[in-house]
Amino acid sequence: TEQARIEELHVAAIEDRAEAMLGLGGHRELVGELAALATAHPLRERTRALLMMALFRDGRQADALAVYTQTRTLLVRELGIDPGQQLQQLHQRILAADPELAAPGGRASAGPARVPVPRELPTDVHAFTGRDQELAELDWLLTTAGPARDVGGGSAVVISAVAGTAGVGKTALAIRWAHRVRDSFPDGQLYINLRGYDPNQPVTAGDALARFLHALGVPGRDIPLEPEDRAARYRSLLDGRRMLVLLDNAESAEQVRPLLPGSPGCAVVVTSRSSLAGLVARDGAHRLDLDLLPIQDSVALLRALIGRRADDDPSAAAALASLCARLPLALRVAAELAVARPATSLAELVGELADQQQRLDLLAAGGDPRTAVRAVFSWSVRHLPVDAARAFALLGLHPGPDLDACAAAALIGTTVERAEQLLGELARAHLIMSSGPGRYSMHDLLRAYAASLTVGRGREDEQRAVLTRLFDYYLAAAASAMDTFSPAEQYRRPRIPRPDTPLPSLAGPDAARAWLDAEGASLVAVARHTSAHGWPTHTVRLAATVYRYFDDGGYLSEGLIIQTHALEAARLTNDRAAQAHALNSLCSVYAKQGLYQQTAAHLRQALALARETGDRLGQARALGNLGVTYFLQGDYTPAAGHHEQAIALYREMGDRLGEARSLDNLGLVILRLGRYEQAMGHHEQALALYREMGDRFSEPYALANLGQACQRRGHLQQAISHLQQAIALARVTGDKEIEANVLNYLGVTCQRMGELEQAVAYNYQAVALFREVGDPGGEAEALNSTGETLLADGDPGQARACHAAALSLASSSGHRYEQARAHNGLAHTLYATGEACQAHRHWREALSLYTDLGTPEADEVQAHLTELSTREGQLS
C-alpha cells in the first residue's frame, strides 16, 4: 500500500542517517534510537545490524551479541528462516572482536565526543546512622528485580518509592544507598530535587526533563518545547543504558511519571511524603515506608553528632531523641545547638526544649511529628543572635532554589561581608545547607517555618519591601552581568538604576557568564514570582535584560519560561511595546526549534504592536527576524525585502548594531541567489560596523559570511584568510555555532582547492560540532559538504550515506535548500556508480526545489538532466 511504501522510505532514511553517523564516530548516541527502531520493526535485519555495530563500537560486545540472538529467535519463530548471510558474518566478526569493526580512526576521529556520563548525586550524608533494614530492602530490589543486562530484555524498570513524613530522612537514605550502588550504574546517576512540598512552586516535570536532557548532553536549542516530546527524547537517550535516577521530594505520581525511563537497564528511586499509590498500582513501584528512627538509632545519631555527652547522660540523650520525635532533621538541628553550648548539660537542654514545646502548646496537636520539628526549629532559632534569627526568617522568602551572599545581603539589607557571616552561622546551626561553593539552600520544612515567621498582622508591607529589594538586586545584577558579557547591546536593554544593596564584582566576560550560569535558575524563579505576585514591571525588564544570555547560550527552555512570563506581565499592564519585545524574543526560541509558521505568526503580531505604539526598534527587530525566518524556509524574495526595510529603520535611528546584523543577514540572502559581489559588499559593511563598535561576538559571523562569499566568487585564498580569522575569534568567544559554520566553509573551500584530505577533516569536525550544539540544519549542510568531498575523493558509497543523512535531517527541519542539495548529491553518487535511473529521479527533485527557491543551482542541475537524457537517447 501507499502507506507501507511511505513507512519503508521513512525507515530507510533513518537507517541511511545512522549509517553515516556510524562512519562519523557517532555510535553511542545512536544506540537508543536504533533500539527503538528495532523494537518497532523487529524483523528488519539492516536495523538490527546497525544496532549491533553501534553497541560493539560503544564497548558493549555482549549486548551486541544479545541483539543477534534475539533477532535469530524472532526470525525463526515468525518466518521460519535464519538471519541473512551478512548478519551472520557480522555476528561472527563481533564474536571474534574483529578490530576492523572498531570505531574508525583518521577521518572519523573528528567525530562527536562520547555522550556525557552525569554524576549528579549530592555528597553522601555525614554521620548517617541506622536504616540497615531499609538499605537491605533496596539492595534486594536491585539484585532480584534489578535492571536487565541485555538490550531489549523483558524486565521493567525498577522503581523504589521511599515514603514517609517530613524530616524522617528519606533523602538521606536514598543518597546513602545511591552512593553504595553507584558502581552498578556505569552510565551515570541523575538527581533532582523536585521541591514537591516547597512553599514556592514545585519543579514541573517539563523543567526536570530539560535539566536531565542538559545533563545527558542535549544542547539547549535541541531540547523540545513540549513536555511530551522531552519525555520521549529522554527515554530514547536512556534506552540501553544503565543509569540510576534519583527523584527527590516528589509531590505526586503525576510529577514523577514523565521522568521514568521506558526500558530496562535503569533504576529509579523516588522520595515523597505521599505514599505515591498511583506509582505503585500503575507503574509497578515497590513502596518502602520509612518510619521514625528507632530510639537506639536516634541516640546513636546524637552520639555521632555531639560525642561523649550522649554517653555521659544516656537518659537525657534518650529524652532529647524523643522530644525531637526521632526525626533525623530535628535531631541534627538539636545536636548542633548542643554543640554550640558545651557548658550546658544535656539534661538542661532537654528541659528547655520541653518548655518550648509546652509554651507553643504543641502537645495538643495529637503527636504529629511535624509539631515536634516546629518546636525544635523554634527552640534553635530562639538561641540565635537577633540578626541571625531575622536573617533566617527572611531567607524563607527567597523564591529560588538557592542563593549566594550577595542575594542574601539584598534580602536581609546588609553588607556582603555581614551576609556571609550570617549564612555561616545558620549553616553551622543546620538551619541552611551548602548547595555548592558559596551557595546555600534550605530544607523545605525549614523554608516553610522561616517564611511563617514573617507572616502576621501588619507584616505584608514589610514582606513586600524586602522582596522588592531582592528583585531590584537581581534586576541590577543581571544588567551588570549582561553589560559585561555583551556590551555591544547595552543600549538595547532597559536602563536599570543601581540599587542600595551591593552588586557582585564581575571582572570580565568570563566572570559575568559564571554569575549568569550560577543564577540562571533563580532568575527563572524571580520571573515566575514577580509575574504572579504583583511585580509585573520587574518581570518585563528582567526578561528584556537577560534575553541574549538565554538565547545565545542555548538555554531555550529557560528563555521560553522567562519570555512567556514577560508576555503575560506585559499584557496584564497593557504595555504593548513590552508585548512586542517579548513576542520578538519568544520567536527566537520557536525558530531554533524549526517552528517557522508559529514564528512568523508571532512576529507579524509583534510588528503590528510595534507599529501601533510607534516603537521603531521593535519594528526593526520584527522585520529583521521575519527576514531570517523567510530565509530559513527558502523564501528569499520576502526575506530580502524585510531585511531592507529593517536596515532603513535602523539607519533612521542610528542603530549601528541593528544595521550591521541586518546587512549581514541580507548578504546571506543575496549570496543564496547567486549575486556574490553584492553579497561581499554587504558582509564587508557589516564587518566594518562590528569592528567600529568592538563587537567581538558578531565579528566572526561577518568574517565567516564574507569568507563564504569569497569562496563562491572563486577568491579561494582570500576566503581562507577570512575564515581563519573567524575561527580564531569564535574560539576566543566560545561560540561553537559559528565555529561549526566556519569549519564547514573551510572544508568546502579546501575541497575546491583540491586539498581533499584537509577538506574531509574540516567536514567531519563541522558535522560533530553541529551535532553537539543541536543544529539539524547546520548538520545537514555539513553532511552535504562531506558527501561532496568524499565523492571527489573517490568514495561514492560513503558520500551517498552522507547525502541520505542530510536529506533526512533537512526534510525534518524544513531546510529546503539543503534538501535540494542532498538530492543533487545523491544523484551525483548514483550516477557515479552507474545507477542512472535513480540519479535522474533525484536530479528531478533537486531541479524542482532549486527552481522554486530561485537559486542558480537550477541551471546546473538542468544541464545534468539534459546530458543524461541525451545519453539515454543515444543508447536507445
Side-chain angles (χ1 to χ4, degrees), residues 582-756:
L583 284 165
N584 258 313
S585 301
L586 277 172
C587 286
S588 181
V589 178
Y590 296 136
K592 287 176 179 176
Q593 293 279 321
L595 305 173
Y596 300 130
Q597 297 299 325
Q598 192 171 352
T599 301
H602 279 70
L603 286 171
R604 283 190 285 269
Q605 186 181 351
L607 180 59
L609 285 166
R611 283 172 172 164
E612 183 182 319
T613 58
D615 178 6
R616 291 192 297 167
L617 177 59
Q619 293 176 52
R621 281 190 69 200
L623 286 164
N625 289 336
L626 275 167
V628 171
T629 305
Y630 286 125
F631 173 77
L632 292 172
Q633 295 179 93
D635 295 330
Y636 299 133
T637 299
H642 282 84
H643 285 312
E644 287 164 352
Q645 292 179 63
I647 290 168
L649 275 172
Y650 282 128
R651 284 174 174 165
E652 285 177 19
M653 293 183 289
D655 187 330
R656 293 180 301 161
L657 178 62
E659 179 187 352
R661 287 182 176 167
S662 290
L663 280 167
D664 220 3
N665 287 327
L666 179 58
L668 287 173
V669 179
I670 292 172
L671 180 73
R672 192 61 61 82
L673 293 171
R675 289 144 49 189
Y676 304 137
E677 289 285 354
Q678 190 178 355
M680 287 170 62
H682 287 308
H683 295 312
E684 285 168 348
Q685 291 179 65
L687 179 61
L689 286 168
Y690 289 143
R691 285 176 170 168
E692 184 183 330
M693 291 180 290
D695 187 351
R696 64 188 188 124
F697 290 96
S698 300
E699 186 178 341
Y701 283 85
L703 282 165
N705 294 334
L706 182 55
Q708 183 186 195
C710 289
Q711 173 256 309
R712 292 288 187 94
R713 189 68 180 85
H715 305 323
L716 301 183
Q717 289 297 339
Q718 192 176 352
I720 290 290
S721 175
H722 291 310
L723 293 172
Q724 286 175 342
Q725 292 178 63
I727 202 165
L729 277 172
R731 286 170 176 167
V732 168
T733 61
D735 190 331
K736 291 185 177 181
E737 184 172 1
I738 188 58
E739 182 183 350
N741 277 287
V742 176
L743 286 166
N744 181 49
Y745 300 157
L746 280 167
V748 173
T749 307
C750 286
Q751 190 257 326
R752 296 198 177 188
M753 296 171 72
E755 299 174 4
L756 298 182

Side-chain angles (χ1 to χ4, degrees), residues 45 68 82-93:
E45 292 192 33
Y68 177 80
D82 285 324
Q85 185 176 4
Q86 287 186 327
L87 198 61
Q88 291 185 40
Q89 289 175 349
L90 177 60
H91 172 245
Q92 291 300 316
R93 295 178 71 187

Side-chain angles (χ1 to χ4, degrees), residues 169-193:
K170 302 180 294 296
T171 298
L173 172 69
I175 291 173
R176 166 53 59 98
W177 180 79
H179 277 281
R180 284 180 20 155
V181 302
R182 61 187 302 168
D183 289 343
S184 298
F185 300 94
D187 290 319
Q189 304 90 41
L190 294 169
Y191 170 86
I192 191 167
N193 179 1

